Amino acid sequence: MDRESLLKGGRRGPAIVPGKPGESVLIESLRHEGELQMPPGPKLPKKEIRVLTEWVRDGAVWGSKLRR
């Protein structure tokens, strides 16, 4: 998957909206807040969801190091 595909998204909308984690399908699905839940089964640890949420909030810069 490349950044442009994530920005374009699909029928549910863009997977990521840089600067707007609340509008990003990826973040919604990681939080298990909607129909789509990733990963299926147990949610990721809160820390991992927080790191990805911050990445989207910070602009979802491709190739950047994620803060842990």
Side-chain angles (χ1 to χ4, degrees):
M1 177 98 13
D2 60 46
R3 187 173 194 269
E4 294 308 312
S5 297
L6 291 172
L7 292 172
K8 180 180 177 188
R11 64 182 175 85
R12 290 184 174 97
I16 55 173
V17 179
K20 299 179 180 181
E23 296 177 23
S24 300
V25 172
L26 172 67
I27 302 303
E28 178 183 293
S29 68
L30 292 174
R31 292 176 177 161
H32 286 203
E33 292 178 344
E35 180 182 318
L36 177 64
Q37 298 182 351
M38 294 181 4
K43 291 183 355 181
L44 290 175
K46 288 180 182 182
K47 182 177 180 180
E48 291 182 28
I49 295 171
R50 180 184 48 78
V51 168
L52 290 165
T53 300
E54 289 175 5
W55 173 70
V56 172
R57 184 178 297 118
D58 291 344
V61 177
W62 208 252
S64 62
K65 287 213 170 227
L66 298 176
R67 294 177 291 195
R68 292 187 166 247

